[in-house]
Amino acid sequence: MKLTDNTILITGGTSGIGLGLAQRLQTMGNKVIVLGRNEKRIVEILRDNPDFDSYQADVSKPETLKDLPAWIMTNYPKLNMVINSAGIMHAYDLFDPELTLDELTAEINTNLIGTIAVDKLLLPQLVQQPEAMIVNVSSGLANVSSAAHPFYSATKAGVHMFTSALREQLIYAKHDHVHVVELVPPLVAETNLESTVTTEASGNMKLSDLVDAAIKGMTDNKIRVNAGAAKALRKAGQIAPDRTEHQMAGQMLKQYFPHGL
């Protein structure tokens, strides 16, 4: 797909991968709208990136998205790209008696339900464009589970499955002018998804390198962009998923819960 002269909505566009993609795509001659939940952060981003537009909503709360399609149709009727990058990640001890129901569902609501909701709400607009694209950000942990991140791993596996199903429904409905891309990042410490992880961590990929890989994959209409160490995780998930997950668990549980569970 030609990555110029598009109108693009990016959820989670005020930080991390979403912001990195927003800034790169804007310099390529696209109109970028960043969607975020924090009004103060949106103001900061627009100050530093005056060519952006913004929409305030919390993808984990579908009721805040109900007016989005009408707003897009009124202000950006040529919107033809959606990138779902909003995401949160936490390590959780499942034996912790203080682990609340809200904590159990927070990542599901943001990472999975938020992605599904935005795609579903904007699908009618996207299929009307001459060419369109949906990019859903999953993770290398969609292929092999991290025992320290049980909810994150589950949500990203869900994003992977949903993205594949969405692509096939579009093809079956003869809307194959709407390209569906799954962007599969490895660890990208610069995103601060986890504040305890440094850029020296094993498997870390520079944000700029991830953006490069994403742009190339989108240009080539790849159905899936396994970036950096995510390539090895996908292969391990196909060849030896049980052994890989057990080995990862031995390392990561000690790292995140050094005193045991």
Side-chain angles (χ1 to χ4, degrees):
M1 183 167 173
K2 183 182 175 185
L3 293 188
T4 58
D5 299 317
N6 300 293
T7 304
I8 308 170
L9 176 75
I10 304 180
T11 74
T14 60
S15 64
I17 294 170
L19 179 57
L21 286 169
Q23 291 172 328
R24 179 72 62 84
L25 288 164
Q26 192 277 322
T27 65
M28 295 170 66
N30 300 287
K31 180 59 186 178
V32 172
I33 306 117
V34 293
L35 184 152
R37 60 184 176 179
N38 187 306
E39 183 178 3
K40 181 180 178 181
R41 180 60 179 161
I42 290 174
V43 170
E44 292 172 352
I45 292 299
L46 294 184
R47 181 191 63 213
D48 296 336
N49 302 272
D51 291 326
F52 286 3
D53 200 351
S54 67
Y55 190 90
Q56 185 180 6
D58 183 346
V59 300
S60 73
K61 299 175 181 177
E63 65 271 16
T64 71
L65 296 168
K66 61 182 174 58
D67 295 327
L68 177 61
W71 183 86
I72 290 290
M73 184 60 71
T74 299
N75 295 282
Y76 294 104
K78 293 185 178 180
L79 180 92
N80 67 331
M81 289 185 66
V82 172
I83 300 175
N84 283 291
S85 185
I88 54 176
M89 177 181 186
H90 298 288
Y92 284 113
D93 172 2
L94 296 175
F95 292 94
D96 182 356
E98 297 183 1
L99 187 61
T100 67
L101 188 59
D102 285 344
E103 288 174 307
L104 286 170
T105 58
E107 291 178 29
I108 297 170
N109 291 336
T110 297
N111 302 354
L112 181 56
I113 294 177
T115 294
I116 293 171
V118 171
D119 284 350
K120 180 65 173 68
L121 287 170
L122 296 180
L123 197 58
Q125 163 123 1
L126 294 173
V127 298
Q128 296 301 317
Q129 306 305 320
E131 189 173 26
M133 177 171 282
I134 295 169
V135 181
N136 291 338
V137 179
S138 65
S139 166
L141 297 181
N143 299 296
V144 289
S145 180
S146 165
H149 305 90
F151 310 133
Y152 183 83
S153 299
T155 61
K156 292 304 185 177
V159 169
H160 162 70
M161 294 295 184
F162 169 73
T163 303
S164 295
L166 172 61
R167 182 185 303 110
E168 293 301 328
Q169 287 206 12
L170 282 163
I171 294 170
Y172 186 69
K174 303 189 187 312
H175 292 309
D176 50 3
H177 63 291
V178 182
H179 310 289
V180 179
V181 180
E182 180 187 354
L183 176 58
V184 190
L187 170 67
V188 182
E190 291 171 77
T191 64
N192 293 321
L193 197 60
E194 284 195 300
S195 59
T196 58
V197 178
T198 72
T199 56
E200 303 303 315
S202 175
N204 175 61
M205 188 177 193
K206 289 175 59 177
L207 178 58
S208 60
D209 291 341
L210 175 63
V211 171
D212 288 343
I215 294 296
K216 184 178 187 309
M218 292 159 65
T219 302
D220 295 341
N221 294 330
K222 295 288 188 182
I223 66 170
R224 188 172 298 105
V225 181
N226 291 295
K231 296 176 185 177
L233 287 174
R234 178 167 175 79
K235 190 170 184 178
Q238 293 170 327
I239 297 173
D242 297 334
R243 184 173 72 236
T244 302
E245 289 176 339
H246 183 63
Q247 290 174 342
M248 285 176 53
Q251 299 169 352
M252 299 187 79
L253 290 173
K254 287 180 182 177
Q255 176 184 344
Y256 286 94
F257 306 107
H259 304 297
L261 299 175

